[in-house]
Structure formats: C-alpha cells, structure tokens
Amino acid sequence: EHHQHFVSGSIGISIAPDDSTDLNELIQFADSAMYKSKNDGKDRYNFYNAQMTKDAKERFILKTTLHYALKNNELDIYFQPQIDKEDNLIGAEVLVRWNHPNKGIVSPYHFIPLAIELGIIDKVDLWVIENAIIQHTKWQQKGLKVGILSCNITMYDIEKDRFIDDIKSLIHKHNFNPYYLNLEVTEETIMKNPKKSIAVLNKLKNLGININIDDFGTGYSSFSHFVEIIERIPVKLLKIDGSYVKKIPESEKAEKIVKTVNSMAHSLNIKTVAEFVENEKIVEKLEKLGVDYAQGHYFEEPRILV
Ligand code: C2E
Ligand code: MG
Ligand code: MG
C-alpha cells in the first residue's frame, strides 16, 4: 500500500571447527548468538562464546519454572508514580516482577520474552491488570486518590481474539470505573500490525479505557505513516522513550528529539510523559521543553505499595 517499512536483521555466528565440528551443535550455538543479538537491541551480529551456552541454560530453567509462577503466586506488581508540572500525582505505571523462589526478583526484561515464547503473556498481563484493579479499589475505599493506573500490554494480547472480552469481564467482575485504567502499547507493536491495533485499541476505548503509546522514538516507524495511523487510534498519552530523556542534559541531539516528539504529540492533542527522569537537570530541561508529565527514579523507583 505504498508504505515504507523498516526491516532489521539479528545475526548469530558460530565457526567450525573452533566452536564445534558437529552440525547440530553449530546451529544451536549460532542460535544462541542470534538471541544475544536480539536481546542487545536487534539489528546487529554476535559471534558465539561459551557464556552463551550458560545463558541459554539459565533461560531454559527460567522458562520451565515460569509455567508455575502464576499458579504459585510468584508474581508481584510494583507501582511507579507519574507527576505533573506542579508535582501533583496523576497516576502510576504498574510494572510486574517475578519473585522467583531460588533466584530472587527477576526483571520483566528477562521473563516477558519467555512468557511470550510460552504463549502465556496474555495470562500474565490479565493477572497484572486484575491485581491493579483490586489494589486501586482498595485505595479508593480508604479514600486515597492515586489517579490513573497504566498497565503494559503486548502485540500478543492485541492479537488474541478473547482479549477484549477478558478485559470487559474483569471490569464487570470488580465493578471498576475504566476511567482509572490506561493500557500501554509500544510504538513498535502498533506499527508492526497497524490494522489490528487500530481495531482493538478503538474497542478498548469504547469500553472506557484510555491508551498510552510507550517507548516512542524507538519503533523505527516512518513519520508520515505513524501520523496516519495515530490519527485513527484514541491515544491519551505518548511516552517519550527513556533512552532520549535520560541523555538530554548532555546531548543536544537527544534534546532536539524530545522537543520534536513533544510538539508532534501536542499538535495531535496528545499529552506527553517523559520516562527515565533520573535527576534534577532532566526535570529542568523537561519544564523548558513543555513536556506534560514525568516518571522516573528522581521521583520514585517502582515499588510494592499496599
Ligand atoms: P516500560 O513499560 O517502558 O517501563 C519502564 C521501565 O523503566 C521499567 O522497567 C521501570 O522500572 C524503568 N524505569 C523507571 N524509571 C526509570 C529511571 O529513572 N531510569 C531507568 N534507567 N529506568 C527507569 P521494568 O519495570 O524493568 O520494566 C521493563 C519493561 O518490561 C517495561 O518497560 C515493559 O515494557 C515491560 N513490562 C513491565 N511490566 C509488564 C507487564 O505487566 N506486562 C507486559 N507485557 N510488559 C511489562
Ligand atoms: Mg510502560
Ligand atoms: Mg516505556
């Protein structure tokens, strides 16, 4: 349809006879090296080394035990506040952690990709959303105003036929006001499947749930194509990717990117959130640039709240 697409390659390399002389093992080693390339951010190559076999074993152990994490109640939700220009609390992002019986706290960066591979990411995300709803209801009953909770979802949720019905059931089950729930989808997810994203995100909006675009600036989308898509999605907040935000005190280029993204969002009537706000210098710059909201370690690290 005359759209421009950006394709990247993640490559793993193993070499005979140095790494192995067995064909299957060579392929397996190249595969481990390819996973490293993907995990390092894609669009790069890596040569195999022995540490990768150790990492692959670790992955395997995590993957097999992740099946039991939900059943054994090993997941926790952490909250990170989001602040407006006058330092008022507007809400919080809900971030999942896996409290592994032997390994301690496992980051979602490690286990979300495994949950996707296992095909249980929708169960994880629905668990997170339901527990966020339960916690919000408890706070409201105590008279505490925490604002809007934002939960993360993936492409695999959007592509599941039952997702909308599952969310609808959760809202009804807990008699929850959907105004207090935002769902975050990355720019990358939307641009990978714009048609489905537009359909599903509009259905969520019809349920009363607002949509945030996460990690904006890393999805490699062409600008005109993105604007065309975004105008068909009811977006409430656009989150400027932390990799730019945290560099604005020392990088003019990062500052220009944040400034441009911020004006683009405002011209589409979308409010902006800066993530990875780590120090006062960043806060000062963001104020100058007119970014609406902020979230980051400078204000508070994600933590369990009851
Ligand atoms: P995200 O949605 O972009 O979340 C922001 C990440 O930045 C969080 O990492 C947060 O802890 C971290 N962060 C917050 N403030 C700062 C800061 O000032 N500096 C730095 N360097 N980092 C900061 P976390 O909690 O490890 O989550 C990582 C990613 O995992 C999230 O990125 C999100 O994509 C995914 N994730 C987390 N919870 C869920 C979930 O329930 N479902 C799904 N599908 N994905 C989740
Ligand atoms: Mg997020
Ligand atoms: Mg983000």
Side-chain angles (χ1 to χ4, degrees):
E1 294 178 349
H2 307 289
H3 294 309
Q4 194 175 359
H5 286 276
F6 295 84
V7 178
S8 72
S10 300
I11 298 171
I13 304 164
S14 61
I15 295 178
D18 292 4
D19 294 331
S20 171
T21 48
D22 177 76
L23 178 62
N24 285 329
E25 203 170 48
L26 272 173
I27 291 174
Q28 199 188 321
F29 287 171
D31 201 47
S32 302
M34 181 201 65
Y35 266 112
K36 172 104 177 66
S37 299
K38 288 194 174 191
N39 281 336
D40 288 351
K42 302 181 184 160
D43 204 17
R44 64 195 70 211
Y45 64 87
N46 267 292
F47 287 94
Y48 170 78
N49 66 46
Q51 179 63 34
M52 290 175 188
T53 299
K54 278 194 199 144
D55 292 346
K57 278 191 185 140
E58 179 79 358
R59 264 174 74 81
F60 180 76
I61 294 170
L62 276 185
K63 200 167 157 178
T64 44
T65 48
L66 184 55
H67 259 305
Y68 304 100
L70 273 168
K71 217 165 55 191
N72 297 346
N73 228 353
E74 290 167 8
L75 298 184
D76 278 322
I77 46 174
Y78 283 45
F79 296 88
Q80 186 176 39
Q82 294 165 330
I83 310 292
D84 73 6
K85 285 176 194 157
E86 283 82 41
D87 273 358
N88 300 309
L89 179 70
I90 59 146
E93 178 165 11
V94 184
L95 296 152
V96 68
R97 301 282 181 271
W98 179 10
N99 199 351
H100 192 283
N102 312 322
K103 299 186 183 300
I105 309 286
V106 183
S107 152
Y109 282 125
H110 286 125
F111 76 84
I112 295 287
L114 301 179
I116 290 171
E117 279 174 35
L118 286 169
I120 59 167
I121 186 63
D122 56 321
K123 293 202 179 76
V124 171
D125 286 342
L126 287 167
W127 183 91
V128 170
I129 294 166
E130 177 160 28
N131 282 278
I133 286 176
I134 292 170
Q135 188 56 56
H136 192 279
T137 308
K138 282 187 192 157
W139 284 328
Q140 268 192 325
Q141 283 162 355
K142 285 188 189 163
L144 296 171
K145 292 199 170 72
V146 288
I148 290 166
L149 295 181
S150 297
C151 296
N152 294 281
I153 58 169
T154 69
M155 173 152 51
Y156 304 89
D157 299 304
I158 289 179
E159 284 173 352
K160 268 257 156 79
D161 290 334
R162 289 190 36 195
F163 185 64
I164 300 286
D165 285 338
D166 287 340
I167 295 282
K168 211 192 242 170
S169 312
L170 281 185
I171 288 172
H172 286 157
K173 178 176 164 193
H174 295 283
N175 195 17
F176 191 69
N177 181 350
Y179 170 79
Y180 291 108
L181 180 64
N182 283 11
L183 293 179
E184 292 196 8
V185 201
T186 63
E187 175 201 4
E188 195 184 1
T189 289
I190 293 174
M191 298 316 281
K192 267 196 180 141
N193 196 344
K195 225 174 169 172
K196 188 82 184 170
S197 300
I198 291 169
V200 172
L201 299 177
N202 276 290
K203 281 185 190 157
L204 287 170
K205 176 70 191 178
N206 289 340
L207 294 179
I209 293 167
N210 280 300
I211 306 301
N212 300 343
I213 296 191
D214 206 355
D215 303 344
F216 186 81
T218 55
Y220 305 113
S221 55
S222 101
F223 186 68
S224 61
H225 190 200
F226 176 78
V227 171
E228 205 177 294
I229 305 294
I230 214 63
E231 288 193 307
R232 298 166 64 193
I233 295 177
V235 178
K236 173 112 178 258
L237 296 175
L238 186 142
K239 301 183 76 171
I240 308 169
D241 193 69
S243 60
Y244 304 118
V245 173
K246 68 177 184 186
K247 282 193 222 136
I248 51 174
E250 63 271 6
S251 159
E252 229 173 274
K253 187 179 154 200
E255 185 174 338
K256 276 185 190 151
I257 292 173
V258 173
K259 191 176 170 183
T260 310
V261 170
N262 192 58
S263 351
M264 179 217 54
H266 284 170
S267 71
L268 293 166
N269 279 325
I270 298 169
K271 297 253 190 224
T272 48
V273 186
E275 41 174 32
F276 290 24
V277 179
E278 293 178 342
N279 54 56
E280 205 164 350
K281 276 193 185 145
I282 300 177
V283 178
E284 283 165 12
K285 288 264 181 190
L286 291 174
E287 271 171 17
K288 224 178 69 196
L289 295 173
V291 175
D292 301 296
Y293 308 119
Q295 168 186 352
H297 293 170
Y298 174 71
F299 301 104
E300 201 147 343
E301 289 191 24
R303 60 187 174 101
I304 295 183
L305 292 172
V306 283

